[in-house]
Amino acid sequence: MAIVKTHLKDLSMLLIFGLFAMASAAWSAGDCSKLLQQGDGTERDATDNLKSFLGTLMERQVIGDEGPTRLIEGLKGGKLINPITEEETGVSRIALVHRKTIQRFVDGKEGRIDQKDLLDWARETLKKRKRVRVERTEAKEETKYIYQEIAFHPVKGGKFKMGEGIKEVDVELTHDIEVMSTPVTQKQWAELMGFNPSRFADGEGSQTFEVNGRSIEMRPDNPVEMVSWWEALEFANRLSESHGLKPAYDLSVVRRVLVNAPGGDIYRAEGFRLPTEAEQEYILRAGGVATGRYHFGNDTDELKKYAWLSVNSNGSSQPVGDRLPLVIEGFKFYDVIGNVWEWSWDDWKEKLPGGVNPLNVPGVPPNFAPMIRGGGWSNSAYYLRSAARRYNFVNSGGGGYLGFRLVRTIPNP
């Protein structure tokens, strides 16, 4: 597995982001001390400001349910306490900054707090959060036997900037493609291949299905992983045959792969196939229009809404389609970042392929290491960037962090 080193530029960006977070977290605390007295000399009421600030932190998951519970217990005893504990600041710098801001309210430095008003608000807020959680649980229970089906959505070709910094290249994709809305799931894989190789087949959400007379354990909607590059090609061929399409790959020669297309051009294959690296980044950049670190922008704090990564995955892959989608011309694509890395057709090359319909042509095994894109459940935010690149050896299925999704070239009318 290649190791991608953090560049000085990225460290600088992280430092700038950290300083920005501290500044925004401090809110207007530096100026509030000048506004503690109203025009008539009476003490300023800061209750609404505190409720607004706490509400924002709860919405962004900085404060969990235990925070308002602590606040309620303190207020019931006639004491305003900080809902973020000192212990929590030891594991999160963001929590440390926000605790300091809240403490200004607790100490009365931002004005008077109406404890009864704050108590009523905290109780209602906690009640609403619990109600939403129950509704989500009920909805999940109702749909737990409705599994993710294989679905493809169109993505038009176009021009875009691939890569970042001095390595950026111009790319043009002249063809339209259809792209799987999610990575291939364990159930989708097992139904076509007759077994489940996944590391995360058992545990929470695990079920046993009968497939061709065999009992197969799986987490049906988790992405399939521990799949080699060769196995991904075989799945693509079987799916093509099931749809009456000419398979994209000729796998009749041992340890060789030929492309079933005019001139061996993978972009002209009829059947389902792995995306090229250029197509993968084009998708990651929302059809070439997103120029930031991620398809939704540059805010690392937003990642948890769109992806399963090290900070929220609990050390495992997760069901597909649970995070917010990447939307391209109204079509939704899930887990394009995080959850599992995804195989590419291209071979690893230090230099990005640029130009029209670019390709780093696969080599000859075992000296062949295909690209993987998108980042996975075990990775930090750095590896989920649209431009992040790694590779994996062709016969390896990864360590439970590597899956795939398929694409297909849409024929010209």
Side-chain angles (χ1 to χ4, degrees):
M1 176 57 59
I3 298 176
V4 182
K5 297 181 178 178
T6 304
H7 298 288
L8 291 177
K9 176 182 177 182
D10 296 294
L11 290 174
S12 298
M13 290 300 294
L14 288 173
L15 178 59
I16 292 171
F17 172 79
L19 292 173
F20 174 78
M22 291 175 66
S24 61
W27 201 32
S28 56
D31 296 326
C32 280
S33 59
K34 301 176 183 178
L35 301 173
L36 298 184
Q37 303 296 323
Q38 300 190 81
D40 59 2
T42 59
E43 189 177 17
R44 184 182 183 88
D45 189 328
T47 309
D48 287 343
N49 287 344
L50 178 56
K51 289 191 296 186
S52 177
F53 188 59
L54 292 175
T56 299
L57 296 185
M58 292 170 67
E59 181 181 341
R60 296 182 179 180
Q61 303 298 315
V62 176
I63 297 178
D65 287 351
E66 66 282 357
T69 299
R70 293 188 198 110
L71 185 64
I72 290 168
E73 291 303 313
L75 290 170
K76 285 166 61 177
K79 183 179 181 181
L80 175 58
I81 64 172
N82 200 315
I84 300 178
T85 66
E86 291 186 3
E87 289 78 10
E88 290 170 333
T89 65
V91 296
S92 170
R93 183 165 182 79
I94 297 298
L96 172 62
V97 175
H98 290 312
R99 175 179 163 80
K100 289 181 178 179
T101 303
I102 296 170
Q103 194 62 39
R104 293 184 60 85
F105 289 94
V106 174
D107 295 340
K109 296 180 180 180
E110 298 300 330
R112 181 178 60 84
I113 300 297
D114 185 333
Q115 292 194 12
K116 184 180 182 306
D117 183 15
L118 185 61
L119 176 60
D120 291 341
W121 173 85
R123 282 172 168 165
E124 183 60 29
T125 300
L126 185 58
K127 186 186 301 182
K128 286 181 180 179
R129 291 188 67 162
K130 290 181 176 179
R131 187 184 307 132
V132 168
R133 184 175 295 105
V134 168
E135 290 172 354
R136 287 176 178 172
T137 301
E138 290 175 347
K140 194 170 184 179
E141 184 69 21
E142 289 174 2
T143 60
K144 71 177 182 179
Y145 295 114
I146 303 175
Y147 304 107
Q148 180 66 46
E149 298 293 334
I150 292 178
F152 285 82
H153 300 314
V155 175
K156 294 180 180 179
K159 299 179 180 180
F160 77 109
K161 297 285 187 180
M162 183 177 179
E164 59 188 0
I166 62 173
K167 294 184 177 182
E168 192 175 72
V169 296
D170 291 310
V171 170
E172 180 179 4
L173 299 173
T174 62
H175 55 283
D176 299 342
I177 57 177
E178 53 180 8
V179 182
M180 281 190 71
S181 61
T182 71
V184 175
T185 66
Q186 293 182 23
K187 189 170 188 291
Q188 293 166 1
W189 172 275
E191 287 178 338
L192 199 59
M193 304 297 285
F195 69 101
N196 183 17
S198 303
R199 169 184 172 186
F200 299 110
D202 57 5
E204 183 180 357
S206 176
Q207 298 178 49
T208 300
F209 291 82
E210 293 293 324
V211 180
N212 296 328
R214 295 182 59 192
S215 295
I216 302 177
E217 186 179 20
M218 65 183 78
R219 297 190 203 177
D221 280 338
N222 281 41
V224 70
E225 16 82 12
M226 299 296 288
V227 174
S228 74
W229 186 80
W230 293 106
E231 289 173 317
L233 301 191
E234 176 64 28
F235 180 92
N237 277 359
R238 292 194 187 188
L239 187 64
S240 296
E241 290 170 348
S242 71
H243 283 71
L245 301 171
K246 181 179 180 181
Y249 309 111
D250 180 351
L251 302 175
S252 61
V253 181
V254 178
R255 299 171 67 84
R256 289 284 304 277
V257 55
L258 302 174
V259 177
N260 287 325
D265 183 357
I266 193 66
Y267 288 110
R268 300 175 66 186
E270 178 183 315
F272 299 109
R273 58 181 175 82
L274 291 177
T276 65
E277 189 183 9
E279 288 173 327
Q280 282 178 310
E281 187 162 333
Y282 186 70
I283 296 165
L284 287 167
R285 295 192 180 280
V289 301
T291 58
R293 292 169 67 86
Y294 313 103
H295 63 80
F296 55 81
N298 297 313
D299 189 350
T300 304
D301 281 347
E302 294 291 298
L303 268 177
K304 290 187 290 185
K305 297 179 181 179
Y306 293 89
W308 294 111
L309 66 161
S310 59
V311 297
N312 67 346
S313 68
N314 294 318
S316 168
S317 70
Q318 297 293 329
V320 301
D322 185 72
R323 305 286 87 183
L324 292 177
L326 179 161
V327 180
I328 303 177
E329 295 190 351
F331 293 102
K332 297 177 180 180
F333 300 90
Y334 296 88
D335 301 88
V336 292
I337 52 176
N339 217 346
V340 289
W341 290 83
E342 297 180 13
W343 281 114
S344 170
W345 170 246
D346 291 45
D347 193 6
W348 161 261
K349 294 290 189 299
E350 181 67 32
K351 184 178 180 180
L352 284 168
V356 178
N357 299 332
L359 181 69
N360 280 332
V361 180
V364 178
N367 300 314
F368 172 32
M371 297 301 307
I372 59 176
R373 286 294 201 117
W377 56 264
S378 65
N379 295 114
S380 64
Y382 179 79
Y383 295 100
L384 273 65
R385 299 171 0 263
S386 296
R389 310 172 74 214
R390 297 181 81 175
Y391 64 79
N392 197 71
F393 293 108
V394 66
N395 292 314
S396 169
Y401 57 80
L402 177 56
F404 69 102
R405 81 175 70 212
L406 299 176
V407 304
R408 177 176 175 265
T409 300
I410 298 176
N412 292 324

